[in-house]
Amino acid sequence: MGRKRIVGAVVVLLVLFAAVWLASPILTARAVIQAGKDGDEARLEQHVDFPSLRDSLKDELGGRLAQEMRDDPRLSDSLGGLGMLLAPSLVSGAVDALVTPRAVAFMVQEARAPEPADAVRPVEAEPEAAREPGRRVRQAWGYRDLNTFAVTLWREDRPDDRIALLLERRGLFGWKLAAVDLTPNGLD
């Protein structure tokens, strides 16, 4: 009888460990979303790895800008090439100034990444209660892999314009918002 109790206790502990391990990003995601909705910058700072988030946004915006420049026939001349050389440094400077707790709150509230122009003016979103029904933000949550959890956000009035906030595992149970995907596959 004693051996069965030990085996039972081990099984219960393993199931409990697995449940907490799998649920831990959900708790962090909920905290990030709620802090963003509330505009609570102090709580956001606890859940965001700002250097990693800035690097991710630089890559996303730099790639988007390079693609737009390649696709624009007006930029195929030598000035377009110069623009492609300068674009990464312009994006980098704008993102460094732009990615703040307030900008993360804006992403959560508006379901879109701040624009570089937002670096020179305050990033403000309407309180959720003041929004029209068609502007509500929808969410889809899910693992991308065992160490990456995505919260995909979109507004009802712009269902094809989505942003994914990517939480990355930090240690056994810890998670931080560390990246953003501006072109996530549609999750419903």
Side-chain angles (χ1 to χ4, degrees):
M1 288 267 181
R3 186 175 185 135
K4 285 184 180 181
R5 283 187 176 171
I6 292 173
V7 169
V10 169
V11 169
V12 167
L13 287 175
L14 287 175
V15 168
L16 183 61
F17 174 83
V20 171
W21 190 77
L22 290 171
S24 60
I26 295 169
L27 298 174
T28 301
R30 287 181 57 149
V32 168
I33 297 297
Q34 192 58 52
K37 285 180 179 179
D38 295 344
D40 188 338
E41 295 179 21
R43 271 195 307 157
L44 280 171
E45 286 185 21
Q46 295 172 352
H47 298 293
V48 179
D49 178 349
F50 283 100
S52 293
L53 185 61
R54 286 183 185 102
D55 289 343
S56 171
L57 198 53
K58 286 175 190 177
D59 291 344
E60 288 286 318
L61 291 175
R64 181 185 281 181
L65 182 60
Q67 185 63 43
E68 288 175 7
M69 292 177 85
R70 278 192 294 274
D71 293 346
D72 191 339
R74 298 173 296 167
L75 299 177
S76 61
D77 61 7
S78 61
L79 287 178
L82 178 62
M84 287 192 64
L85 288 173
L86 296 175
S89 63
L90 295 173
V91 167
S92 178
V95 168
D96 285 340
L98 186 65
V99 178
T100 63
R102 181 175 292 185
V104 174
F106 176 84
M107 286 190 274
V108 168
Q109 294 169 2
E110 291 294 316
R112 71 177 178 87
E115 301 293 328
D118 294 330
V120 295
R121 62 179 159 74
V123 177
E124 305 252 345
E126 295 178 41
E128 191 158 350
R131 292 203 183 142
E132 304 160 17
R135 292 190 57 201
R136 289 194 339 196
V137 173
R138 296 292 183 196
Q139 305 170 11
W141 301 22
Y143 279 94
R144 288 212 172 159
D145 59 46
L146 286 177
N147 295 314
T148 307
F149 189 83
V151 178
T152 304
L153 305 169
W154 69 96
R155 283 191 0 202
E156 289 177 340
D157 61 339
R158 295 179 302 162
D160 295 330
D161 188 14
R162 296 174 182 232
I163 182 173
L165 306 177
L166 305 178
L167 283 79
E168 294 179 355
R169 187 178 300 280
R170 300 289 198 258
L172 197 54
F173 299 112
W175 292 82
K176 291 270 188 175
L177 173 58
V180 65
D181 183 355
L182 300 179
T183 55
N185 296 333
L187 298 172
D188 288 324

